[in-house]
Amino acid sequence: MSKLPLHWRILIAIVVGIAAGWLAGEEAALFGVTFYSVFDFVGTLFINALKMLIVPLIVSSIIIGVAGIGGGGNLGRLGGKTLLFYATTSTMAILIGLVLVNLVQPGIVNGEPARELLALEESTRAVAESVGASAGSGGGGQLARLFMSMVPPNIVMAAAEGQMLGLIFFSIVFGYFMTKVENEQSEAMYRFWDGLFAVMMRITAWVMAFAPIGVFGLVARTVAQTGFDAARPLVVFSLTVLGALALHALISIPLLVKTVAKASPIALYKAAAPALLTAFSTASSSATLPITMEAMEKRAGVSNRTSSFVLPLGATVNMNGTALYECVAAMFIAQAYGLELSFGVQFVIVVTALVTSIGVAGIPSASLVAIAIILAAVGLPVEAIGVLFVFDRILDMARTAINILGDCACAVIVAKLEGEEGVLAPAGARA
């Protein structure tokens, strides 16, 4: 069993969890202990382990990412165009997801919030109070409080209370100014944060090794409590995510390729096909990187100079499919609790999804930690991410393919803007 890839073990855990929850229900017990309480214990322990990772992981990853990009003269003309494109496509993806999830409202079933169907235990009133305390209330004052929360008076207290926006802002500023001090000091600081990030990656991998057990507990608990009633909102949620990803892949990215690069989106799809298929099958941007570079250089005609900078950077920071998913997931959970999120709170979700999709892009199952960060930022219960596991694998495959499509589109656009000839031209025309 241990030799099976993690995603297969998780899929098996989901199937076994469904069967165990259905057979056990809430009343079955052994030696006076209900199976439901065991499922709940295992699932909660796994969620707590994920929450434990959030602060050190997000701080170290953002600091290292900003310091790595900001140092060594990498933010020149090529880097500026690349980062601008990645920020643009991720923002477009998030907004598409936000619009679609508000239109479809997968968290509402027959006019009622799906909280009970999904076995979400926190009361709607308690969650509403938490969201209100997190974002403040009242028109324009809410937006002002949002920006005020980005600059916490005590960074240690912000970390203890899970004030993610303040931690993210501090990490960006710290990473940037880390490159502005003397080389000896800068190198020492970089080694420290890089070491911390490496340790957190190892801990994350260790925690994710227990994901099948945690997923089993979470799925079994939900099925034991609600039966199969949870399937309907989760199916609608999954279709909403897939629909939003399709809109981004078939409208916004081709629009940028056509208008900015003056190139054919169809030619881009054909050139990127091997990379997209690899990304879909592996659900890993990093593992797909060699295929992506080969496809862009040999099939799309992008120079090695451009691809060797744009694509590795994209595999790290350009996660527009993941950002879209994070936004839709947070909104789905809010709807399931029956909350009408204000513009200010939805703005927090957009900003946090954009930044966290960059900050935790390189870790296994990054979206789980990222969604936990977003939920904490707006005051939603982190425990609610347990309901997302059932269909997460297929959604992970789809959003990874969209991430890679965004990387390929960026490589083409930057190459065109740099004046390269023969990009996305027929193979004979490039010869």
Side-chain angles (χ1 to χ4, degrees), residues 31-68:
F31 303 119
V33 179
T34 64
F35 288 101
Y36 177 83
S37 64
V38 175
F39 300 152
D40 183 58
F41 173 79
V42 171
T44 301
L45 194 64
F46 178 64
I47 293 295
N48 286 349
L50 284 179
K51 291 164 68 175
M52 176 184 70
L53 304 173
I54 291 176
V55 170
L57 181 61
I58 194 67
V59 171
S60 61
S61 63
I62 291 179
I63 288 176
I64 286 299
V66 172

PDB file of all heavy atoms in Angstrom, residues 31-68:
ATOM      1  N   PHE A  31     -17.038  -1.376  22.501  1.00  0.00           N
ATOM      2  CA  PHE A  31     -16.499  -1.120  23.848  1.00  0.00           C
ATOM      3  C   PHE A  31     -16.927   0.252  24.363  1.00  0.00           C
ATOM      4  O   PHE A  31     -16.158   0.960  25.032  1.00  0.00           O
ATOM      5  CB  PHE A  31     -14.973  -1.232  23.859  1.00  0.00           C
ATOM      6  CG  PHE A  31     -14.454  -2.551  23.387  1.00  0.00           C
ATOM      7  CD1 PHE A  31     -13.637  -2.627  22.263  1.00  0.00           C
ATOM      8  CD2 PHE A  31     -14.792  -3.728  24.043  1.00  0.00           C
ATOM      9  CE1 PHE A  31     -13.160  -3.842  21.808  1.00  0.00           C
ATOM     10  CE2 PHE A  31     -14.320  -4.966  23.593  1.00  0.00           C
ATOM     11  CZ  PHE A  31     -13.505  -5.020  22.470  1.00  0.00           C
ATOM     12  N   GLY A  32     -18.138   0.643  24.036  1.00  0.00           N
ATOM     13  CA  GLY A  32     -18.681   1.905  24.543  1.00  0.00           C
ATOM     14  C   GLY A  32     -18.240   3.143  23.791  1.00  0.00           C
ATOM     15  O   GLY A  32     -18.634   4.261  24.147  1.00  0.00           O
ATOM     16  N   VAL A  33     -17.416   2.979  22.760  1.00  0.00           N
ATOM     17  CA  VAL A  33     -16.937   4.127  21.980  1.00  0.00           C
ATOM     18  C   VAL A  33     -17.581   4.068  20.591  1.00  0.00           C
ATOM     19  O   VAL A  33     -17.454   3.052  19.891  1.00  0.00           O
ATOM     20  CB  VAL A  33     -15.400   4.110  21.837  1.00  0.00           C
ATOM     21  CG1 VAL A  33     -14.932   5.294  20.994  1.00  0.00           C
ATOM     22  CG2 VAL A  33     -14.750   4.139  23.208  1.00  0.00           C
ATOM     23  N   THR A  34     -18.279   5.123  20.209  1.00  0.00           N
ATOM     24  CA  THR A  34     -18.928   5.119  18.894  1.00  0.00           C
ATOM     25  C   THR A  34     -17.884   5.271  17.788  1.00  0.00           C
ATOM     26  O   THR A  34     -16.870   5.952  17.956  1.00  0.00           O
ATOM     27  CB  THR A  34     -19.947   6.265  18.769  1.00  0.00           C
ATOM     28  OG1 THR A  34     -19.264   7.515  18.861  1.00  0.00           O
ATOM     29  CG2 THR A  34     -21.015   6.174  19.847  1.00  0.00           C
ATOM     30  N   PHE A  35     -18.168   4.620  16.669  1.00  0.00           N
ATOM     31  CA  PHE A  35     -17.288   4.767  15.517  1.00  0.00           C
ATOM     32  C   PHE A  35     -17.270   6.224  15.038  1.00  0.00           C
ATOM     33  O   PHE A  35     -16.250   6.718  14.565  1.00  0.00           O
ATOM     34  CB  PHE A  35     -17.736   3.838  14.381  1.00  0.00           C
ATOM     35  CG  PHE A  35     -17.447   2.388  14.645  1.00  0.00           C
ATOM     36  CD1 PHE A  35     -18.458   1.529  15.079  1.00  0.00           C
ATOM     37  CD2 PHE A  35     -16.168   1.877  14.480  1.00  0.00           C
ATOM     38  CE1 PHE A  35     -18.193   0.191  15.323  1.00  0.00           C
ATOM     39  CE2 PHE A  35     -15.888   0.539  14.721  1.00  0.00           C
ATOM     40  CZ  PHE A  35     -16.911  -0.307  15.152  1.00  0.00           C
ATOM     41  N   TYR A  36     -18.410   6.888  15.177  1.00  0.00           N
ATOM     42  CA  TYR A  36     -18.483   8.296  14.757  1.00  0.00           C
ATOM     43  C   TYR A  36     -17.467   9.152  15.504  1.00  0.00           C
ATOM     44  O   TYR A  36     -16.796  10.007  14.904  1.00  0.00           O
ATOM     45  CB  TYR A  36     -19.897   8.838  14.992  1.00  0.00           C
ATOM     46  CG  TYR A  36     -20.037  10.299  14.644  1.00  0.00           C
ATOM     47  CD1 TYR A  36     -20.263  10.712  13.341  1.00  0.00           C
ATOM     48  CD2 TYR A  36     -19.919  11.284  15.632  1.00  0.00           C
ATOM     49  CE1 TYR A  36     -20.373  12.053  13.012  1.00  0.00           C
ATOM     50  CE2 TYR A  36     -20.029  12.621  15.320  1.00  0.00           C
ATOM     51  CZ  TYR A  36     -20.257  13.006  14.008  1.00  0.00           C
ATOM     52  OH  TYR A  36     -20.357  14.341  13.697  1.00  0.00           O
ATOM     53  N   SER A  37     -17.319   8.916  16.815  1.00  0.00           N
ATOM     54  CA  SER A  37     -16.366   9.707  17.592  1.00  0.00           C
ATOM     55  C   SER A  37     -14.928   9.418  17.162  1.00  0.00           C
ATOM     56  O   SER A  37     -14.066  10.311  17.190  1.00  0.00           O
ATOM     57  CB  SER A  37     -16.531   9.422  19.090  1.00  0.00           C
ATOM     58  OG  SER A  37     -16.212   8.071  19.390  1.00  0.00           O
ATOM     59  N   VAL A  38     -14.670   8.158  16.741  1.00  0.00           N
ATOM     60  CA  VAL A  38     -13.335   7.814  16.245  1.00  0.00           C
ATOM     61  C   VAL A  38     -13.075   8.530  14.925  1.00  0.00           C
ATOM     62  O   VAL A  38     -12.002   9.108  14.711  1.00  0.00           O
ATOM     63  CB  VAL A  38     -13.195   6.290  16.065  1.00  0.00           C
ATOM     64  CG1 VAL A  38     -11.848   5.948  15.425  1.00  0.00           C
ATOM     65  CG2 VAL A  38     -13.342   5.585  17.402  1.00  0.00           C
ATOM     66  N   PHE A  39     -14.073   8.521  14.014  1.00  0.00           N
ATOM     67  CA  PHE A  39     -13.932   9.234  12.744  1.00  0.00           C
ATOM     68  C   PHE A  39     -13.659  10.713  13.000  1.00  0.00           C
ATOM     69  O   PHE A  39     -12.780  11.328  12.370  1.00  0.00           O
ATOM     70  CB  PHE A  39     -15.211   9.101  11.908  1.00  0.00           C
ATOM     71  CG  PHE A  39     -15.591   7.686  11.560  1.00  0.00           C
ATOM     72  CD1 PHE A  39     -16.919   7.344  11.341  1.00  0.00           C
ATOM     73  CD2 PHE A  39     -14.624   6.686  11.455  1.00  0.00           C
ATOM     74  CE1 PHE A  39     -17.284   6.045  11.014  1.00  0.00           C
ATOM     75  CE2 PHE A  39     -14.970   5.379  11.122  1.00  0.00           C
ATOM     76  CZ  PHE A  39     -16.313   5.063  10.916  1.00  0.00           C
ATOM     77  N   ASP A  40     -14.417  11.276  13.937  1.00  0.00           N
ATOM     78  CA  ASP A  40     -14.286  12.705  14.245  1.00  0.00           C
ATOM     79  C   ASP A  40     -12.906  13.019  14.802  1.00  0.00           C
ATOM     80  O   ASP A  40     -12.282  14.019  14.439  1.00  0.00           O
ATOM     81  CB  ASP A  40     -15.375  13.116  15.242  1.00  0.00           C
ATOM     82  CG  ASP A  40     -15.341  14.601  15.542  1.00  0.00           C
ATOM     83  OD1 ASP A  40     -15.465  15.405  14.595  1.00  0.00           O
ATOM     84  OD2 ASP A  40     -15.187  14.967  16.727  1.00  0.00           O
ATOM     85  N   PHE A  41     -12.406  12.153  15.679  1.00  0.00           N
ATOM     86  CA  PHE A  41     -11.078  12.355  16.271  1.00  0.00           C
ATOM     87  C   PHE A  41      -9.992  12.338  15.198  1.00  0.00           C
ATOM     88  O   PHE A  41      -9.127  13.222  15.153  1.00  0.00           O
ATOM     89  CB  PHE A  41     -10.809  11.269  17.313  1.00  0.00           C
ATOM     90  CG  PHE A  41      -9.411  11.292  17.864  1.00  0.00           C
ATOM     91  CD1 PHE A  41      -9.048  12.202  18.846  1.00  0.00           C
ATOM     92  CD2 PHE A  41      -8.445  10.407  17.391  1.00  0.00           C
ATOM     93  CE1 PHE A  41      -7.741  12.228  19.345  1.00  0.00           C
ATOM     94  CE2 PHE A  41      -7.150  10.425  17.872  1.00  0.00           C
ATOM     95  CZ  PHE A  41      -6.797  11.349  18.852  1.00  0.00           C
ATOM     96  N   VAL A  42     -10.037  11.329  14.321  1.00  0.00           N
ATOM     97  CA  VAL A  42      -9.013  11.200  13.278  1.00  0.00           C
ATOM     98  C   VAL A  42      -9.060  12.390  12.327  1.00  0.00           C
ATOM     99  O   VAL A  42      -8.028  12.980  11.987  1.00  0.00           O
ATOM    100  CB  VAL A  42      -9.217   9.875  12.504  1.00  0.00           C
ATOM    101  CG1 VAL A  42      -8.301   9.822  11.289  1.00  0.00           C
ATOM    102  CG2 VAL A  42      -8.950   8.686  13.412  1.00  0.00           C
ATOM    103  N   GLY A  43     -10.259  12.779  11.896  1.00  0.00           N
ATOM    104  CA  GLY A  43     -10.382  13.900  10.974  1.00  0.00           C
ATOM    105  C   GLY A  43      -9.939  15.204  11.592  1.00  0.00           C
ATOM    106  O   GLY A  43      -9.234  16.004  10.953  1.00  0.00           O
ATOM    107  N   THR A  44     -10.326  15.449  12.839  1.00  0.00           N
ATOM    108  CA  THR A  44      -9.950  16.691  13.521  1.00  0.00           C
ATOM    109  C   THR A  44      -8.447  16.765  13.732  1.00  0.00           C
ATOM    110  O   THR A  44      -7.836  17.836  13.600  1.00  0.00           O
ATOM    111  CB  THR A  44     -10.683  16.800  14.872  1.00  0.00           C
ATOM    112  OG1 THR A  44     -12.095  16.765  14.644  1.00  0.00           O
ATOM    113  CG2 THR A  44     -10.325  18.103  15.581  1.00  0.00           C
ATOM    114  N   LEU A  45      -7.833  15.640  14.059  1.00  0.00           N
ATOM    115  CA  LEU A  45      -6.378  15.616  14.258  1.00  0.00           C
ATOM    116  C   LEU A  45      -5.653  16.008  12.977  1.00  0.00           C
ATOM    117  O   LEU A  45      -4.676  16.779  13.003  1.00  0.00           O
ATOM    118  CB  LEU A  45      -5.951  14.220  14.709  1.00  0.00           C
ATOM    119  CG  LEU A  45      -4.533  14.083  15.274  1.00  0.00           C
ATOM    120  CD1 LEU A  45      -4.388  14.886  16.555  1.00  0.00           C
ATOM    121  CD2 LEU A  45      -4.214  12.614  15.540  1.00  0.00           C
ATOM    122  N   PHE A  46      -6.125  15.529  11.836  1.00  0.00           N
ATOM    123  CA  PHE A  46      -5.507  15.869  10.564  1.00  0.00           C
ATOM    124  C   PHE A  46      -5.695  17.350  10.237  1.00  0.00           C
ATOM    125  O   PHE A  46      -4.756  18.020   9.790  1.00  0.00           O
ATOM    126  CB  PHE A  46      -6.102  15.001   9.454  1.00  0.00           C
ATOM    127  CG  PHE A  46      -5.563  15.312   8.089  1.00  0.00           C
ATOM    128  CD1 PHE A  46      -4.222  15.117   7.789  1.00  0.00           C
ATOM    129  CD2 PHE A  46      -6.388  15.810   7.093  1.00  0.00           C
ATOM    130  CE1 PHE A  46      -3.715  15.412   6.525  1.00  0.00           C
ATOM    131  CE2 PHE A  46      -5.901  16.102   5.832  1.00  0.00           C
ATOM    132  CZ  PHE A  46      -4.559  15.905   5.550  1.00  0.00           C
ATOM    133  N   ILE A  47      -6.889  17.872  10.464  1.00  0.00           N
ATOM    134  CA  ILE A  47      -7.134  19.301  10.222  1.00  0.00           C
ATOM    135  C   ILE A  47      -6.248  20.152  11.121  1.00  0.00           C
ATOM    136  O   ILE A  47      -5.676  21.166  10.685  1.00  0.00           O
ATOM    137  CB  ILE A  47      -8.615  19.640  10.454  1.00  0.00           C
ATOM    138  CG1 ILE A  47      -9.489  18.954   9.400  1.00  0.00           C
ATOM    139  CG2 ILE A  47      -8.834  21.146  10.411  1.00  0.00           C
ATOM    140  CD1 ILE A  47      -9.258  19.427   7.986  1.00  0.00           C
ATOM    141  N   ASN A  48      -6.083  19.756  12.382  1.00  0.00           N
ATOM    142  CA  ASN A  48      -5.207  20.500  13.295  1.00  0.00           C
ATOM    143  C   ASN A  48      -3.763  20.499  12.788  1.00  0.00           C
ATOM    144  O   ASN A  48      -3.051  21.503  12.914  1.00  0.00           O
ATOM    145  CB  ASN A  48      -5.265  19.899  14.694  1.00  0.00           C
ATOM    146  CG  ASN A  48      -6.557  20.222  15.410  1.00  0.00           C
ATOM    147  OD1 ASN A  48      -7.329  21.057  14.957  1.00  0.00           O
ATOM    148  ND2 ASN A  48      -6.798  19.553  16.527  1.00  0.00           N
ATOM    149  N   ALA A  49      -3.333  19.372  12.228  1.00  0.00           N
ATOM    150  CA  ALA A  49      -1.970  19.304  11.688  1.00  0.00           C
ATOM    151  C   ALA A  49      -1.802  20.272  10.514  1.00  0.00           C
ATOM    152  O   ALA A  49      -0.761  20.935  10.389  1.00  0.00           O
ATOM    153  CB  ALA A  49      -1.646  17.874  11.259  1.00  0.00           C
ATOM    154  N   LEU A  50      -2.822  20.365   9.665  1.00  0.00           N
ATOM    155  CA  LEU A  50      -2.754  21.328   8.563  1.00  0.00           C
ATOM    156  C   LEU A  50      -2.709  22.765   9.089  1.00  0.00           C
ATOM    157  O   LEU A  50      -1.937  23.599   8.598  1.00  0.00           O
ATOM    158  CB  LEU A  50      -3.970  21.166   7.646  1.00  0.00           C
ATOM    159  CG  LEU A  50      -3.988  19.973   6.690  1.00  0.00           C
ATOM    160  CD1 LEU A  50      -5.281  19.970   5.891  1.00  0.00           C
ATOM    161  CD2 LEU A  50      -2.789  20.003   5.753  1.00  0.00           C
ATOM    162  N   LYS A  51      -3.521  23.053  10.089  1.00  0.00           N
ATOM    163  CA  LYS A  51      -3.537  24.406  10.658  1.00  0.00           C
ATOM    164  C   LYS A  51      -2.193  24.749  11.296  1.00  0.00           C
ATOM    165  O   LYS A  51      -1.762  25.905  11.265  1.00  0.00           O
ATOM    166  CB  LYS A  51      -4.662  24.504  11.697  1.00  0.00           C
ATOM    167  CG  LYS A  51      -6.052  24.454  11.075  1.00  0.00           C
ATOM    168  CD  LYS A  51      -7.136  24.160  12.097  1.00  0.00           C
ATOM    169  CE  LYS A  51      -7.330  25.288  13.069  1.00  0.00           C
ATOM    170  NZ  LYS A  51      -8.471  25.018  13.984  1.00  0.00           N
ATOM    171  N   MET A  52      -1.525  23.745  11.866  1.00  0.00           N
ATOM    172  CA  MET A  52      -0.221  23.956  12.499  1.00  0.00           C
ATOM    173  C   MET A  52       0.808  24.475  11.496  1.00  0.00           C
ATOM    174  O   MET A  52       1.733  25.227  11.856  1.00  0.00           O
ATOM    175  CB  MET A  52       0.250  22.634  13.102  1.00  0.00           C
ATOM    176  CG  MET A  52       1.632  22.649  13.710  1.00  0.00           C
ATOM    177  SD  MET A  52       2.112  20.991  14.286  1.00  0.00           S
ATOM    178  CE  MET A  52       2.340  20.131  12.714  1.00  0.00           C
ATOM    179  N   LEU A  53       0.664  24.099  10.222  1.00  0.00           N
ATOM    180  CA  LEU A  53       1.651  24.470   9.200  1.00  0.00           C
ATOM    181  C   LEU A  53       1.508  25.910   8.721  1.00  0.00           C
ATOM    182  O   LEU A  53       2.450  26.470   8.162  1.00  0.00           O
ATOM    183  CB  LEU A  53       1.494  23.540   7.983  1.00  0.00           C
ATOM    184  CG  LEU A  53       1.599  22.036   8.205  1.00  0.00           C
ATOM    185  CD1 LEU A  53       1.234  21.305   6.923  1.00  0.00           C
ATOM    186  CD2 LEU A  53       2.993  21.650   8.657  1.00  0.00           C
ATOM    187  N   ILE A  54       0.346  26.497   8.887  1.00  0.00           N
ATOM    188  CA  ILE A  54      -0.002  27.708   8.144  1.00  0.00           C
ATOM    189  C   ILE A  54       0.991  28.840   8.352  1.00  0.00           C
ATOM    190  O   ILE A  54       1.562  29.367   7.395  1.00  0.00           O
ATOM    191  CB  ILE A  54      -1.430  28.162   8.503  1.00  0.00           C
ATOM    192  CG1 ILE A  54      -2.446  27.169   7.950  1.00  0.00           C
ATOM    193  CG2 ILE A  54      -1.709  29.557   7.940  1.00  0.00           C
ATOM    194  CD1 ILE A  54      -3.883  27.477   8.348  1.00  0.00           C
ATOM    195  N   VAL A  55       1.189  29.261   9.610  1.00  0.00           N
ATOM    196  CA  VAL A  55       1.978  30.478   9.851  1.00  0.00           C
ATOM    197  C   VAL A  55       3.435  30.328   9.408  1.00  0.00           C
ATOM    198  O   VAL A  55       3.928  31.136   8.605  1.00  0.00           O
ATOM    199  CB  VAL A  55       1.883  30.911  11.331  1.00  0.00           C
ATOM    200  CG1 VAL A  55       2.886  32.022  11.631  1.00  0.00           C
ATOM    201  CG2 VAL A  55       0.471  31.388  11.640  1.00  0.00           C
ATOM    202  N   PRO A  56       4.189  29.317   9.883  1.00  0.00           N
ATOM    203  CA  PRO A  56       5.590  29.231   9.452  1.00  0.00           C
ATOM    204  C   PRO A  56       5.745  28.979   7.955  1.00  0.00           C
ATOM    205  O   PRO A  56       6.681  29.485   7.330  1.00  0.00           O
ATOM    206  CB  PRO A  56       6.161  28.072  10.270  1.00  0.00           C
ATOM    207  CG  PRO A  56       4.978  27.268  10.687  1.00  0.00           C
ATOM    208  CD  PRO A  56       3.857  28.237  10.842  1.00  0.00           C
ATOM    209  N   LEU A  57       4.821  28.247   7.365  1.00  0.00           N
ATOM    210  CA  LEU A  57       4.930  27.939   5.944  1.00  0.00           C
ATOM    211  C   LEU A  57       4.683  29.165   5.077  1.00  0.00           C
ATOM    212  O   LEU A  57       5.455  29.474   4.172  1.00  0.00           O
ATOM    213  CB  LEU A  57       3.951  26.821   5.568  1.00  0.00           C
ATOM    214  CG  LEU A  57       3.975  26.376   4.113  1.00  0.00           C
ATOM    215  CD1 LEU A  57       5.346  25.831   3.748  1.00  0.00           C
ATOM    216  CD2 LEU A  57       2.913  25.321   3.866  1.00  0.00           C
ATOM    217  N   ILE A  58       3.616  29.901   5.371  1.00  0.00           N
ATOM    218  CA  ILE A  58       3.281  31.053   4.535  1.00  0.00           C
ATOM    219  C   ILE A  58       4.327  32.151   4.696  1.00  0.00           C
ATOM    220  O   ILE A  58       4.721  32.800   3.724  1.00  0.00           O
ATOM    221  CB  ILE A  58       1.863  31.583   4.853  1.00  0.00           C
ATOM    222  CG1 ILE A  58       1.392  32.553   3.770  1.00  0.00           C
ATOM    223  CG2 ILE A  58       1.793  32.255   6.206  1.00  0.00           C
ATOM    224  CD1 ILE A  58       1.162  31.940   2.426  1.00  0.00           C
ATOM    225  N   VAL A  59       4.812  32.374   5.914  1.00  0.00           N
ATOM    226  CA  VAL A  59       5.816  33.427   6.133  1.00  0.00           C
ATOM    227  C   VAL A  59       7.118  33.084   5.423  1.00  0.00           C
ATOM    228  O   VAL A  59       7.668  33.901   4.673  1.00  0.00           O
ATOM    229  CB  VAL A  59       6.046  33.644   7.645  1.00  0.00           C
ATOM    230  CG1 VAL A  59       7.244  34.571   7.871  1.00  0.00           C
ATOM    231  CG2 VAL A  59       4.800  34.244   8.292  1.00  0.00           C
ATOM    232  N   SER A  60       7.630  31.877   5.631  1.00  0.00           N
ATOM    233  CA  SER A  60       8.919  31.518   5.030  1.00  0.00           C
ATOM    234  C   SER A  60       8.832  31.447   3.513  1.00  0.00           C
ATOM    235  O   SER A  60       9.740  31.890   2.802  1.00  0.00           O
ATOM    236  CB  SER A  60       9.414  30.181   5.595  1.00  0.00           C
ATOM    237  OG  SER A  60       8.504  29.137   5.316  1.00  0.00           O
ATOM    238  N   SER A  61       7.728  30.925   2.965  1.00  0.00           N
ATOM    239  CA  SER A  61       7.628  30.780   1.518  1.00  0.00           C
ATOM    240  C   SER A  61       7.528  32.127   0.824  1.00  0.00           C
ATOM    241  O   SER A  61       8.150  32.349  -0.222  1.00  0.00           O
ATOM    242  CB  SER A  61       6.431  29.910   1.155  1.00  0.00           C
ATOM    243  OG  SER A  61       5.218  30.511   1.556  1.00  0.00           O
ATOM    244  N   ILE A  62       6.771  33.060   1.396  1.00  0.00           N
ATOM    245  CA  ILE A  62       6.639  34.376   0.765  1.00  0.00           C
ATOM    246  C   ILE A  62       7.942  35.153   0.876  1.00  0.00           C
ATOM    247  O   ILE A  62       8.380  35.800  -0.091  1.00  0.00           O
ATOM    248  CB  ILE A  62       5.469  35.161   1.384  1.00  0.00           C
ATOM    249  CG1 ILE A  62       4.147  34.504   0.984  1.00  0.00           C
ATOM    250  CG2 ILE A  62       5.488  36.613   0.926  1.00  0.00           C
ATOM    251  CD1 ILE A  62       2.926  35.181   1.556  1.00  0.00           C
ATOM    252  N   ILE A  63       8.577  35.107   2.032  1.00  0.00           N
ATOM    253  CA  ILE A  63       9.847  35.829   2.200  1.00  0.00           C
ATOM    254  C   ILE A  63      10.882  35.318   1.204  1.00  0.00           C
ATOM    255  O   ILE A  63      11.553  36.097   0.521  1.00  0.00           O
ATOM    256  CB  ILE A  63      10.359  35.697   3.650  1.00  0.00           C
ATOM    257  CG1 ILE A  63       9.496  36.541   4.592  1.00  0.00           C
ATOM    258  CG2 ILE A  63      11.830  36.135   3.751  1.00  0.00           C
ATOM    259  CD1 ILE A  63       9.868  36.409   6.057  1.00  0.00           C
ATOM    260  N   ILE A  64      11.003  34.004   1.080  1.00  0.00           N
ATOM    261  CA  ILE A  64      11.979  33.427   0.147  1.00  0.00           C
ATOM    262  C   ILE A  64      11.605  33.753  -1.292  1.00  0.00           C
ATOM    263  O   ILE A  64      12.460  34.080  -2.124  1.00  0.00           O
ATOM    264  CB  ILE A  64      12.065  31.896   0.364  1.00  0.00           C
ATOM    265  CG1 ILE A  64      12.816  31.605   1.654  1.00  0.00           C
ATOM    266  CG2 ILE A  64      12.760  31.218  -0.803  1.00  0.00           C
ATOM    267  CD1 ILE A  64      14.240  32.120   1.671  1.00  0.00           C
ATOM    268  N   GLY A  65      10.314  33.676  -1.599  1.00  0.00           N
ATOM    269  CA  GLY A  65       9.888  33.970  -2.961  1.00  0.00           C
ATOM    270  C   GLY A  65      10.162  35.402  -3.359  1.00  0.00           C
ATOM    271  O   GLY A  65      10.710  35.670  -4.435  1.00  0.00           O
ATOM    272  N   VAL A  66       9.822  36.345  -2.482  1.00  0.00           N
ATOM    273  CA  VAL A  66      10.047  37.765  -2.784  1.00  0.00           C
ATOM    274  C   VAL A  66      11.533  38.080  -2.838  1.00  0.00           C
ATOM    275  O   VAL A  66      12.003  38.782  -3.738  1.00  0.00           O
ATOM    276  CB  VAL A  66       9.332  38.652  -1.740  1.00  0.00           C
ATOM    277  CG1 VAL A  66       9.720  40.116  -1.924  1.00  0.00           C
ATOM    278  CG2 VAL A  66       7.829  38.489  -1.849  1.00  0.00           C
ATOM    279  N   ALA A  67      12.294  37.549  -1.880  1.00  0.00           N
ATOM    280  CA  ALA A  67      13.742  37.800  -1.864  1.00  0.00           C
ATOM    281  C   ALA A  67      14.415  37.202  -3.092  1.00  0.00           C
ATOM    282  O   ALA A  67      15.319  37.804  -3.682  1.00  0.00           O
ATOM    283  CB  ALA A  67      14.366  37.235  -0.594  1.00  0.00           C
ATOM    284  N   GLY A  68      13.968  36.019  -3.501  1.00  0.00           N
ATOM    285  CA  GLY A  68      14.568  35.374  -4.669  1.00  0.00           C
ATOM    286  C   GLY A  68      14.291  36.123  -5.954  1.00  0.00           C
ATOM    287  O   GLY A  68      15.154  36.236  -6.830  1.00  0.00           O
TER     288      GLY A  68
END
